[in-house]
Amino acid sequence: MAKYIPTCPSTNSMAFQESLESNIPEGFAWVAGHQSAGRGQRGNTWQAEADQNLLLSFLLKPPHSLLENQFYLSKAVALGILNGLQNWANENYGEKLPLSIKWPNDLYLDGKKLGGILIENNFQSGQWTFSIVGIGLNINQTNFADLRACSLKSWMKSPQSFDLLDIYKHISAGIEQEYLHFLAQKFHFLDEAYHQKLFRFQEWHSYQDNQHEFVGKILRVNAQGLLIMEKPVGEQVYEIKELSFIFKD
């Protein structure tokens, strides 16, 4: 089930508030044509042209017993979106999309940002009561202020706009499949699939931390969502706000 909103400040904010106020079934989605105050990670805003992209939030209700494994929910959602997009491209165009996951939760297409994920959790009386999974995907927009952004339409050089509802159905199915893997605690499976799609995995590239620019190699992302980086002086662990990716091109 889903509710379409022509315009709203943020689907995540709306979904979170309505989930607090009502007993909404798991899997419900809020889909917006336009967000006036879309939000991303690290307090960033998410800017998108009206009615050109997928802007939505899902309600999930993971069991509290999986709280210590909550970053696997992020891994499952990211994989589900990528799988859904690839299935859509296969079925409609026979196209192989070079999709990847840029830590911690950006979605990349051929080295450029296609979208992002923002998961916000609610806890009551010490229990994990629900999660709001916010997703923004560039689908038909072709002009971006960020030179490192792209859309499906711009990358595939399509003269026609894509059907947003069709893509929504495919990514919904993909997320459901990977969410079931999360509920079944198939963490090793999720971890392996996630690292196969991890942007810059096991490659040497430039980064910036709180101290300096350096060249490092991503070794893995652990169960807590921390990034393990190999540097010339040894391994180092990074939290989300401690590391920036540097692009030389």
Side-chain angles (χ1 to χ4, degrees), residues 193-231:
Y194 176 88
H195 282 92
Q196 287 177 356
K197 290 294 186 179
L198 188 61
F199 181 66
R200 290 187 174 181
F201 181 51
Q202 296 288 350
E203 300 173 358
W204 291 95
H205 289 278
S206 296
Y207 301 90
Q208 175 78 45
D209 62 15
N210 296 330
Q211 297 177 332
H212 61 283
E213 181 178 334
F214 66 92
V215 174
K217 179 170 69 174
I218 296 175
L219 297 178
R220 63 189 180 280
V221 176
N222 68 17
Q224 291 74 44
L226 303 178
L227 185 140
I228 316 300
M229 176 79 71
E230 180 179 345
K231 301 172 69 174

Side-chain angles (χ1 to χ4, degrees), residues 11-209:
T11 58
N12 255 37
S13 298
M14 176 178 287
F16 203 96
Q17 187 61 39
E18 292 187 7
S19 297
L20 287 173
E21 297 171 348
S22 306
N23 184 23
I24 297 174
E26 185 174 36
F28 192 87
W30 292 257
V31 183
H34 175 64
Q35 290 184 138
S36 59
R39 293 181 290 122
Q41 275 287 347
R42 309 187 196 188
N44 294 331
T45 58
W46 180 270
Q47 297 180 343
E49 293 177 0
D51 305 316
Q52 298 298 309
N53 308 295
L54 275 178
L55 309 168
L56 65 146
S57 297
F58 286 104
L59 169 65
L60 298 179
K61 299 181 179 180
H64 183 71
S65 59
L66 296 183
L67 178 60
E68 293 185 357
N69 306 105
Q70 62 179 290
F71 193 76
Y72 282 104
L73 176 60
S74 179
K75 291 184 177 182
V77 169
L79 288 169
I81 295 170
L82 263 57
N83 291 343
L85 288 173
Q86 186 57 66
N87 289 337
W88 166 82
N90 284 339
E91 292 176 14
N92 290 281
Y93 302 96
E95 184 82 58
K96 174 68 174 177
L97 300 177
L99 295 161
S100 58
I101 303 164
K102 176 178 169 288
W103 179 84
N105 47 21
D106 283 340
L107 305 173
Y108 268 40
L109 174 61
D110 202 13
K112 292 192 173 184
K113 185 172 180 177
L114 180 69
I117 303 165
L118 177 63
I119 300 179
E120 297 181 296
N121 301 308
N122 178 254
F123 302 95
Q124 296 182 18
S125 302
Q127 297 293 307
W128 190 5
T129 52
F130 65 80
S131 294
I132 301 299
V133 178
I135 301 166
L137 290 174
N138 301 325
I139 306 299
N140 291 316
Q141 182 173 335
T142 55
N143 296 313
F144 298 94
D146 183 355
L147 296 178
R148 296 214 63 83
C150 74
S151 68
L152 284 177
K153 183 177 181 180
S154 63
W155 187 83
M156 295 176 70
K157 297 179 173 58
S158 172
Q160 304 296 326
S161 293
F162 297 129
D163 186 337
L164 296 178
L165 179 58
D166 188 28
I167 298 174
Y168 164 77
K169 291 178 178 178
H170 277 83
I171 67 168
S172 297
I175 291 172
E176 181 179 12
Q177 182 180 46
E178 298 305 320
Y179 181 57
L180 291 175
H181 289 150
F182 171 73
L183 295 180
Q185 302 185 43
K186 296 183 178 180
F187 302 135
H188 178 75
F189 171 83
L190 290 171
D191 200 57
E192 184 176 355
Y194 176 88
H195 282 92
Q196 287 177 356
K197 290 294 186 179
L198 188 61
F199 181 66
R200 290 187 174 181
F201 181 51
Q202 296 288 350
E203 300 173 358
W204 291 95
H205 289 278
S206 296
Y207 301 90
Q208 175 78 45
D209 62 15

